[in-house]
Amino acid sequence: MAEYTLKLRRYQPESGEAPYWEEFTIDLDGKRSVLDGILQAKDRQDGSIGIRCSCRAAICGSCGVRINGRPGLACHMHLDEAVERSPDGAIVVEPMGNMPIIKDLIVDMDAVHWKKMQRVTPWLLPDGPPPEREYIVPPESMIDITQTMACIQCGACVSDCLSMEVDPLFIGPAALAKAYRFVGDPRDGQHKERLKDLAEDPHGIYDCTHCFNCIEACPKGVAPMSQIMRLRRIAGSEFEIDDRNNGHRHEMAFVDNIEKNGLLHEADLLPDSYGGKFHPRAVPELVRSLPAILKAVQRGKVTPKKALLHAHKADKQVRRIFDHVHDKDERYELNLYVEGEEDAPEADDSSAAGHTPAERSPNQ
Amino acid sequence: MKVAYWPGCVSRGFTPELHGSMAQVAPLLDIELVELDRASCCGAGVIAEHNQELADTLNARTFALAQQEIASGADLMMNICSTCQGSQSECQERLDGNTEYRDHINETLAPEGLTYERGISNKNFLWLMVEEIGLDAIKAKVKRPLTDLRVGPFYGCYIVRPTDRLGIDHENPRDRYLQQLIEVLGGTVVDYAGQYKCCGFPIITMNRDASLKQAGRHLGDAIDADADCLVTPCPLCHLNLDLQQPLAEKVVGRDLGMPVLHLPQLVGLALGLEPKELGMNKHVVRPSSVIDWSTSVVGGVA
C-alpha cells in the first residue's frame, strides 16, 4: 500500500460558485487504478464527489476524465503510472473537455457526444428488401471495420478534439469514426449519400485538422483521425465528390502540385485549392489573403519571381512513382491495427521514429 | 557529425529563413549537411489521405536516398520540419512493421536501383540536438545567453503525437526537449495553454475562420502568459502563426504582434549569430521584442 495525492477539480454548476481544486490523500496499491483512488476518496472522505463509472475494466466507457491534462479512462491507468506522469507528484483529475460539466468529473455526454453520434445516422441502411436468410459478407470487409467497432463511446477523443475546441459544430472524431463503420460495411446501400452529406457539411470530414489528439486519446486504438482520412479518400477517389468546402480540390491540388514539382510550390497551392487562379471562387479568397501575400513580398520572404516561376521540377523517378501507383486498379492500404506489427529484429534497436541505438547516443 | 539532410519544401519555399538559418547554425554545432536534393515532398499527410501507398513509396524513396548517404559516411537522417517528421514516421511505421508491404514498396523503387532497409534513424533537428549532440555540449557553445528572454515553445502536432509512433517515453521525453533547450540557451520557458495544440494550418482552405481562430487563440494565450516570442520546429505552424498573424488578429478580435522564431533561429541567436544572418528580417511580425534592431543585442522587453 502507498499514499497518493489526488487533486480533483470540483464544480457544482447550480451552486453559482466557481470551480475549485481539492486534494485527497488515498492509500492504495500502485497497481490499482485512478478510478479506485477516486472511489476510495468518495467512500472515506467526501461522498459528494461526482464520478460516473460502472465496469472498472475499460469496457463500459463510463469513466472518461482527464488525468494530468490528458484524456482517458480513470479505470485504465494505474496510480503509479499516473503519479509518474504528474507535474508535481499530485495526480490531477479533471472532467473531459468540449462538453458541459454536470457535476465535478461528470460531463454532459448527451449534449455533445451522443448528439453528434445521431448526426451520422449510426445504423445500417441496406438497399432493397432484406435477403431471405442472413446477409453474406466477406470476412475481409468485416475485419476492415473492426477497428471502428472497437469504440466504447467513452468520449475521450471528443474531449480533446482541437477542431471542436474552436468549432463546436464539428461532427468530431467519435461520430466520424462511427460513420466509417457504415461506409466500410458492404451491406450498407447509402455509401455515396453518407459521404456526400459528410463532405458537404462545413463541419464535416474536411473540418479535421490532422492534430492526432484523438488517436492519442483513444483507449481502444480506434484511431478516429485515420478513419476520417479514409472517409475523405473514398469520398474523393471513389465517388469523386467535389465538396463546397474545397476539401477534395485541396487534396488534388496538393497531389498534382507534387507530381509536377516534386516539392510543394505554395504559390500555386492556394489558388488551385479554390479551383485555379482565375476561378470565380478563388478571386475573393485571394483578395482576402492579399494583405498576407503583400507583407510576405515586402519582407522578402517571397519574391514575385519565385512565386510565379517555380524552378524546381519533379525528378522523373518521382513522376514515374505517381504514374505507377495511380495506374493501379485498386488501392493497397496496410492497416497495422488489423495486420499487427512485426517485432523489430534483436540486433536493430532503432524503432519507427528513429530511436538512437545506445552505442551512438552520447546521452545514454 | 554528418547527416543526410532533408530540409522539406516549406523551408525552401515560403519560409526560406528556416533553411537559411539552419545552414548558418550547422557549422557552429559541427554538423555537416548533405542535402537530399533528389528527394520529394513528404506529403504532409495530404498525399497519404489521397493514397497511402503513394505517400509510403515517396517517403521510402527519400529514406533509401538517405540510406545511400548513411552508407557513405552520414550518421543518420535529419529533418527540420515537424510535419515531415510526423508524416515520414507514419510511413516508416508501416514500412518497418510489415516485411511483405516493404518488399511491395521496394519493387516500385527497384527500377531506380533503390531499396529501403528497415529501421532508418530519421530525427528532427530538435531531437538531434538533445540526443546526439547533447544539451551540455550546446550549453558550452552559447556565446550570448538569452537572458531574460521569455520564450514559449510551440510544438504543433506532428512532432508530439501519437507518442508511441514518435518514440516519446520516459527515457526520451521528446515532448519536453524545447523547454530543456530554451533553458540551456539561457532563456526563460513560458508555460501556456497552446504549446501542444494545432496551429490550424491544415484547414486554412477548408474552414478559414476555424483555422485562424486556432492560431489567434494560441498566440493570445502566449501573450497572456507574458511571452516575448514563440519558437517552433514546424514551418507550417510558422505560416499560420506568423505569415497569417495579421489575418488571425481580425478573426479573434485582438492585437497580437507575437514574434515566432524557427528553432535554428533561436539557437543561432544564442550561439552568437546576428539576427539578419538568421533571416529574422523576413518575418511578417517583426521580432522586435526579441532583438533591439539598432544594436542587434538580444534582450528581454527592452
Side-chain angles (χ1 to χ4, degrees):
Chain A
M1 301 288 252
E3 284 202 344
Y4 293 94
T5 305
L6 291 181
K7 191 173 167 187
L8 305 186
R9 192 170 188 270
R10 308 290 310 267
Y11 182 42
Q12 293 83 36
E14 66 276 20
S15 73
E17 305 290 325
Y20 59 98
W21 294 102
E22 194 171 1
E23 291 194 1
F24 296 92
T25 305
I26 50 148
D27 188 20
L28 273 175
D29 187 89
K31 292 297 170 203
R32 299 289 291 274
S33 71
V34 172
L35 177 63
D36 288 331
I38 297 168
L39 292 178
Q40 191 188 75
K42 184 180 166 81
D43 188 36
R44 297 188 185 168
Q45 296 172 61
D46 184 348
S48 75
I49 296 171
I51 172 86
R52 189 191 279 135
C53 65
S54 176
C55 77
R56 306 193 196 185
I59 196 60
C60 76
S62 304
C63 66
V65 289
R66 271 184 183 150
I67 303 170
N68 301 320
R70 295 187 174 201
L73 299 171
C75 71
H76 199 44
M77 184 175 281
H78 290 152
L79 287 162
D80 56 6
E81 194 188 345
V83 89
E84 206 173 279
R85 293 176 180 211
S86 75
D88 57 0
I91 300 166
V92 181
V93 189
E94 298 165 84
M96 292 194 287
N98 282 334
M99 288 176 271
I101 296 168
I102 296 175
K103 181 178 192 296
D104 296 337
L105 304 172
I106 304 170
V107 296
D108 191 347
M109 297 278 284
D110 287 336
V112 181
H113 175 76
W114 293 111
K115 207 165 141 191
K116 289 177 186 297
M117 208 48 88
Q118 290 277 332
R119 164 69 186 81
V120 301
T121 324
W123 54 86
L124 213 55
L125 298 167
D127 259 347
E132 217 163 285
R133 296 173 62 107
E134 65 273 18
Y135 284 96
I136 310 284
V137 175
E140 313 82 75
S141 50
M142 290 320 277
I143 290 171
D144 176 63
I145 52 174
T146 49
Q147 190 173 15
T148 54
M149 288 158 83
C151 173
I152 56 170
Q153 312 290 338
C154 67
C157 59
V158 174
S159 161
D160 279 43
C161 173
L162 292 176
S163 263
M164 210 184 281
E165 190 178 86
V166 291
D167 177 9
L169 294 174
F170 177 41
I171 297 173
L176 289 172
K178 178 60 84 184
Y180 182 75
R181 186 251 167 275
F182 296 100
V183 168
D185 190 322
R187 292 170 297 176
D188 193 89
Q190 306 277 315
H191 293 167
K192 186 173 183 182
E193 292 75 5
R194 286 177 187 273
L195 287 165
K196 178 130 177 99
D197 172 39
L198 298 174
E200 294 285 13
D201 189 329
H203 314 283
I205 49 176
Y206 291 110
D207 205 18
C208 162
T209 75
H210 293 208
C211 80
F212 298 91
N213 252 355
C214 57
I215 296 185
E216 186 68 18
C218 181
K220 292 291 167 184
V222 171
M225 186 190 117
S226 306
Q227 312 308 332
I228 297 172
M229 295 307 132
R230 299 169 97 184
L231 291 170
R232 290 186 183 181
R233 193 144 62 222
I234 300 169
S237 298
E238 277 174 36
F239 294 105
E240 294 172 348
I241 296 167
D242 216 6
D243 59 285
R244 73 182 86 172
N245 303 304
N246 302 309
H248 182 52
R249 263 187 300 278
H250 175 72
E251 173 197 320
M252 291 317 296
F254 194 104
V255 171
D256 293 344
N257 197 309
I258 306 305
E259 182 170 11
K260 192 169 133 205
N261 304 309
L263 301 175
L264 184 65
H265 186 201
E266 298 104 321
D268 283 346
L269 180 64
L270 189 65
D272 287 351
S273 296
Y274 300 120
K277 281 190 191 72
F278 305 107
H279 196 283
R281 201 168 30 223
V283 176
E285 292 295 340
L286 292 177
V287 169
R288 278 211 291 180
S289 302
L290 205 59
I293 297 167
L294 289 176
K295 199 67 139 188
V297 173
Q298 185 195 344
R299 293 277 197 266
K301 208 181 229 317
V302 189
T303 60
K305 191 178 157 201
K306 189 164 129 188
L308 297 172
L309 306 168
H310 193 48
H312 197 279
K313 290 284 166 274
D315 192 294
K316 66 175 189 299
Q317 296 292 344
V318 171
R319 290 185 187 221
R320 182 184 61 77
I321 291 172
F322 271 86
D323 288 343
H324 176 78
V325 178
H326 276 150
D327 283 349
K328 295 188 177 182
D329 294 333
E330 262 184 62
R331 289 191 308 275
Y332 182 177
E333 272 176 53
L334 174 73
N335 187 348
L336 290 173
Y337 178 89
V338 173
E339 298 292 329
E341 212 166 327
E342 289 168 11
D343 288 330
E346 282 295 314
D348 180 7
D349 153 50
S350 52
S351 82
H355 272 300
T356 330
E359 69 278 9
R360 223 169 39 208
S361 168
N363 296 321
Q364 285 165 7
Chain B
M1 177 187 312
K2 192 165 150 185
V3 297
Y5 172 48
W6 172 239
C9 307
V10 180
S11 77
R12 291 174 286 181
F14 273 20
T15 64
E17 68 279 3
L18 170 57
H19 182 44
S21 56
M22 187 64 235
Q24 295 287 325
V25 167
L28 301 181
L29 294 172
D30 302 316
I31 303 173
E32 188 189 335
L33 304 173
V34 185
E35 203 172 314
L36 297 168
D37 50 8
R38 285 162 58 208
S40 63
C41 170
C42 72
V46 184
I47 295 185
E49 161 192 332
H50 168 72
N51 188 314
Q52 207 184 69
E53 185 186 350
L54 182 58
D56 290 353
T57 313
L58 293 172
N59 282 313
R61 180 173 176 273
T62 303
F63 295 151
L65 290 167
Q67 283 176 332
Q68 283 188 338
E69 297 302 336
I70 291 169
S72 56
D75 293 285
L76 73 167
M77 173 173 164
M78 182 185 95
N79 65 75
I80 51 169
C81 171
S82 293
T83 302
C84 291
Q85 180 73 61
S87 307
Q88 290 177 336
S89 293
E90 184 178 337
C91 294
Q92 189 181 352
E93 188 176 67
R94 286 190 287 268
L95 292 164
D96 286 1
N98 189 301
T99 306
E100 198 186 317
Y101 185 67
R102 186 168 63 252
D103 291 346
H104 169 79
I105 299 289
N106 273 333
E107 270 175 39
T108 312
L109 301 183
E112 198 184 348
L114 290 172
T115 312
Y116 167 62
E117 305 277 350
R118 167 189 197 150
I120 190 172
S121 181
N122 171 28
K123 293 191 180 188
N124 185 272
F125 177 51
L126 176 65
W127 299 355
L128 181 125
M129 278 192 286
V130 179
E131 294 168 10
E132 306 288 328
I133 298 175
L135 290 168
D136 291 340
I138 290 177
K139 193 172 189 172
K141 288 177 194 282
V142 171
K143 288 213 175 108
R144 199 165 46 178
L146 306 173
T147 314
D148 296 333
L149 187 67
R150 294 178 54 82
V151 188
F154 191 91
Y155 283 89
C157 307
Y158 277 86
I159 202 168
V160 284
R161 286 182 293 270
T163 45
D164 50 352
R165 179 185 295 158
L166 290 161
I168 299 171
D169 51 29
H170 206 59
E171 210 172 299
N172 293 294
R174 290 173 164 172
D175 54 352
R176 302 292 303 169
Y177 284 0
L178 276 178
Q179 286 91 333
Q180 294 174 359
L181 191 72
I182 292 165
E183 279 177 8
V184 160
L185 300 177
T188 307
V189 178
V190 177
D191 186 18
Y192 69 105
Q195 54 191 330
Y196 297 107
K197 291 187 179 177
C198 177
C199 71
F201 187 69
I203 53 168
I204 188 74
T205 57
M206 279 95 93
N207 188 340
R208 188 175 180 275
D209 276 4
S211 170
L212 294 174
K213 205 187 266 184
Q214 299 196 37
R217 193 177 278 191
H218 309 328
L219 291 161
D221 284 342
I223 291 170
D224 295 342
D226 286 332
D228 294 323
C229 67
L230 299 185
V231 63
T232 180
C234 181
L236 281 78
C237 291
H238 198 271
L239 290 178
N240 235 29
L241 296 175
D242 177 68
L243 181 67
Q244 308 264 40
Q245 197 176 125
L247 303 175
E249 282 182 334
K250 293 202 182 101
V251 173
V252 294
R254 71 181 277 189
D255 289 336
L256 296 168
M258 171 59 68
V260 185
L261 271 56
H262 298 286
L263 179 59
Q265 289 179 324
L266 189 80
V267 177
L269 281 176
L271 297 186
L273 292 169
E274 295 307 316
K276 211 161 180 181
E277 291 177 273
L278 296 163
M280 287 173 65
N281 51 329
K282 288 199 159 70
H283 292 192
V284 165
V285 179
R286 285 196 187 277
S288 39
S289 58
V290 183
I291 301 143
D292 178 350
W293 284 87
S294 56
T295 55
S296 290
V297 169
V298 179
V301 206

